[in-house]
Amino acid sequence: MNKSTVVLPFSSQPGFDKALQPLIQSPFIEKVIVLGDSAFKPSWPKCEGMRATSINSGKVLNKIVKKIKTDYLLIITHVEEIQITEGSLEYFIDTAESTAAGMVYSDYLEGKDKEIIKHPLNDYQPGSIRDGFDFGDLILFSVPAVNDALRKYGAIPEVEYAGLYALRLKVSIDHKIVHIRDFLYTRLATDGKIDEKEPLREKLFDYVHPLNQTVQKEMEKVATQHLKNIGAYLGPKFNKVPAPEHKFPVEASVVIPVLNRARTISNAIQSALSQETDFHFNVIVVDNHSTNGTTAILADMAKRYPTVKHIIPARVDLSIGGCWNEAVFSEFCGRYAVQLDSDDLYSSTETLQKIINVFRKGDFAMVIGSYTLVNERLEEIPPGLIDHREWTDKNGRNNALRINGLGAPRAFETDLLRKIGFLNVGYGEDYAMALRLSRQYQIGRIYESIYLCRRWGGNTDAFLSIEQSNRNDAFKDEIRTLEIRARQEMTAK
């Protein structure tokens, strides 16, 4: 019988002892290593203590890997908050054996008492290299796979926060990471309540919080080394942006895709029209067959303001990316195409000028600004400024494969957009374009807030279900997978 060593952090919470018992009693568990402070000495059978600050410590993980003699290593991140279903541990090990997996994880249930919801997870793929990928609380590693990965790609770096992240990236290079689509344990909510519509805003922007800068630097270091290990790392050498191939009607176009935004579209357009510039610009609004009065509003504004170009596509199957293509390939589009969402605003009358100034000063295919999250009353809401200072000229295009976004507003060289084209999707089309452009060209950045991103009940991303959040994350992982393959081909040549 193949057995596993379990590693978990000690907790003084009442549920710790109860959650530990199934592990101690399981015939598939040979030893339980409990991480704690130097004075901690576990009295439970099968258990031994190890001084450690965190399971994410690279130094701790290297020590654990050298110590264990079993075929499998089960890491449990928060044991006092979970209930393991009977037979689950055997299921984990059987799956690892039958698939020759390097790592296994499963879906789980979430709740307390009578309130239970299912929490499915995403399948892992080569592009799932973001450090926030959700594996749940139980992760089973094949020890031979771990030893093979560390022998080929070096020991886990002695980082404080990114050790577990580094371990799974190393294992993933030559070994399968298998997702069990079954709910093998229950995560207990601390307050006994589960809200499927709880905003994901705070977690979504963890990586831009100033307090997390040390964590993010470690994660970037680990991710960059992974890209080098798989031949997808790109050094800070960029192609020159081609000169425009023909004349444009204006220097810049503000592009606004819209569908049923009667409440906000007028404000967005007025924000664009109020821009003070030393060049000519227009506003291209692509109305994706709105049905709530938005079309009438746009028709009226186009009559009153000659610089407002109202486009209604002939096609009815377009999403946001497809609407961008309608604007970019139209006769109205200027040399630079600048984003403005239909429910957002530029933060001042100088936003457009600041963006074009960056294009003029450098050889950039794209310029990305910074924005502030606000409510309907334009009052700042947490986490406030999103400036993505983790971006650097030297390593930004590599680190972009680790994170989920790059900032706003986004502006592009129109000629390059016409050569590539946006994906006809409603989420991630801008991220895909940014990755594609950064593969060859340099991206300029503005770190001051020049954009107001409004959050209100009608936003498409104000409240996301688990399923919708999973679909969004899986799509961006797929984008990363394709981009990594393209970069591997570049470096191979």
Side-chain angles (χ1 to χ4, degrees):
M1 178 191 299
N2 288 322
K3 294 188 177 183
S4 176
T5 298
V6 178
V7 176
L8 51 88
F10 173 73
S11 172
S12 59
Q13 296 298 317
F16 182 80
D17 186 78
K18 182 179 179 181
L20 192 61
Q21 295 310 308
L23 302 173
I24 296 173
Q25 296 166 7
S26 171
F28 297 95
I29 303 301
E30 182 173 289
K31 182 187 295 184
V32 179
I33 299 176
V34 185
L35 308 180
D37 60 33
S38 58
F40 174 69
K41 294 182 180 180
S43 58
W44 303 283
K46 287 189 181 181
C47 294
E48 67 175 68
M50 178 181 290
R51 183 178 182 180
T53 55
S54 169
I55 189 62
N56 289 306
S57 165
K59 185 176 181 180
V60 170
L61 286 169
N62 279 322
K63 184 177 179 181
I64 290 170
V65 171
K66 291 178 181 178
K67 183 180 183 67
I68 60 177
K69 305 298 182 184
T70 54
D71 292 314
Y72 295 99
L73 168 63
L74 177 64
I75 292 178
I76 304 179
T77 55
H78 302 93
V79 71
E80 79 279 8
E81 297 176 0
I82 65 170
Q83 292 178 343
I84 301 175
T85 306
E86 186 177 353
S88 293
L89 300 178
E90 181 180 3
Y91 196 171
F92 265 86
I93 292 176
D94 283 347
T95 300
E97 290 179 351
S98 62
T99 62
M103 177 178 148
V104 177
Y105 64 102
S106 81
D107 297 337
Y108 59 91
L109 300 173
E110 198 168 9
K112 190 176 182 181
D113 300 326
K114 295 181 180 180
E115 190 177 11
I116 299 290
I117 65 171
K118 294 179 178 179
H119 196 122
L121 301 176
N122 281 330
D123 289 343
Y124 196 86
Q125 54 181 306
S128 302
I129 72 166
R130 52 194 166 89
D131 53 90
F133 189 95
D134 188 4
F135 293 103
D137 293 315
L138 271 64
I139 307 172
L140 183 75
F141 285 97
S142 160
V143 174
V146 168
N147 290 331
D148 177 63
L150 300 187
R151 183 174 63 255
K152 290 180 179 178
Y153 305 108
I156 303 167
E158 294 199 350
V159 290
E160 187 66 27
Y161 306 101
L164 190 55
Y165 177 52
L167 176 59
R168 63 103 159 170
L169 287 180
K170 290 175 184 292
V171 170
S172 72
I173 298 175
D174 298 316
H175 302 274
K176 289 184 290 186
I177 293 184
V178 175
H179 170 208
I180 299 175
R181 296 187 189 89
D182 202 351
F183 305 93
L184 298 187
Y185 58 95
T186 300
R187 175 187 287 177
L188 305 178
T190 54
D191 60 359
K193 296 180 180 179
I194 295 294
D195 184 2
E196 286 191 82
K197 292 186 177 181
E198 181 183 359
L200 300 177
R201 185 183 305 129
E202 295 295 341
K203 292 180 68 176
L204 198 63
F205 297 110
D206 273 352
Y207 62 91
V208 299
H209 198 289
L211 296 177
N212 292 332
Q213 287 184 0
T214 301
V215 178
Q216 292 309 308
K217 287 179 180 178
E218 285 192 4
M219 297 293 183
E220 178 177 2
K221 178 180 178 181
V222 168
T224 302
Q225 183 58 53
H226 174 69
L227 294 175
K228 291 179 179 179
N229 288 341
I230 64 174
Y233 169 81
L234 299 179
K237 184 178 180 180
F238 305 93
N239 292 355
K240 185 176 177 59
V241 176
E245 296 181 355
H246 58 276
K247 290 185 177 180
F248 290 93
V250 289
E251 183 75 350
S253 291
V254 175
V255 177
I256 310 177
V258 61
L259 173 62
N260 294 337
R261 286 290 186 265
R263 289 175 58 186
T264 60
I265 188 60
S266 295
N267 289 338
I269 293 175
Q270 289 293 350
S271 172
L273 292 174
S274 70
Q275 295 302 297
E276 298 174 357
T277 66
D278 63 10
F279 54 84
H280 295 295
F281 70 92
N282 60 24
V283 181
I284 304 175
V285 188
V286 183
D287 177 10
N288 200 10
H289 304 280
S290 297
T291 59
N292 72 339
T294 300
T295 300
I297 294 172
L298 293 174
D300 177 66
M301 296 194 78
K303 287 181 181 179
R304 289 190 289 134
Y305 303 103
T307 54
V308 174
K309 309 302 179 182
H310 181 198
I311 297 177
I312 301 177
R315 293 173 56 176
V316 295
D317 62 342
L318 298 182
S319 196
I320 295 175
C323 288
W324 260 90
N325 288 333
E326 290 286 317
V328 168
F329 286 95
S330 75
E331 61 181 315
F332 308 118
C333 198
R335 177 179 178 180
Y336 303 106
V338 185
Q339 169 245 344
L340 176 60
D341 286 352
S342 57
D343 44 13
D344 293 338
L345 304 170
Y346 291 145
S347 62
S348 77
T349 58
E350 300 175 349
T351 291
L352 193 56
Q353 184 70 58
K354 289 179 179 178
I355 292 171
I356 303 307
N357 284 347
V358 175
F359 276 115
R360 290 171 173 174
K361 292 177 181 178
D363 190 25
F364 302 119
M366 179 178 180
V367 172
I368 306 175
S370 301
Y371 62 94
T372 301
L373 284 173
V374 297
N375 59 22
E376 283 188 86
R377 297 181 296 277
L378 305 185
E379 299 166 335
E380 184 174 321
I381 58 177
L385 175 65
I386 308 297
D387 57 6
H388 288 276
R389 287 189 179 271
E390 76 283 349
W391 178 276
T392 62
D393 291 338
K394 181 178 179 181
N395 201 46
R397 60 178 174 176
N398 295 301
N399 197 33
L401 289 164
R402 180 184 67 87
I403 61 178
N404 245 5
L406 298 176
R410 298 165 290 275
F412 310 88
E413 278 267 1
T414 298
D415 266 348
L416 291 177
L417 293 184
R418 288 175 173 174
K419 292 176 181 178
I420 299 170
F422 283 92
L423 299 175
N424 184 28
V425 293
Y427 175 83
E429 76 292 335
D430 51 340
Y431 180 69
M433 181 60 73
L435 288 182
R436 175 63 185 86
L437 290 173
S438 71
R439 189 193 311 167
Q440 295 174 283
Y441 305 104
Q442 194 167 8
I443 291 178
R445 294 303 313 268
I446 299 175
Y447 293 110
E448 63 177 294
S449 180
I450 59 173
Y451 191 87
L452 299 179
C453 185
R454 290 196 282 186
R455 287 290 182 265
W456 53 286
N459 279 134
T460 55
D461 59 350
F463 297 97
L464 296 178
S465 67
I466 293 170
E467 291 75 15
Q468 183 60 55
S469 180
N470 280 349
R471 284 194 292 272
N472 289 350
D473 285 339
F475 178 69
K476 282 194 173 179
D477 285 350
E478 184 178 348
I479 291 171
R480 295 185 188 96
T481 296
L482 296 173
E483 185 62 29
I484 284 173
R485 289 172 179 165
R487 295 185 183 197
Q488 287 171 327
E489 291 180 6
M490 279 182 62
T491 58
K493 293 178 180 178

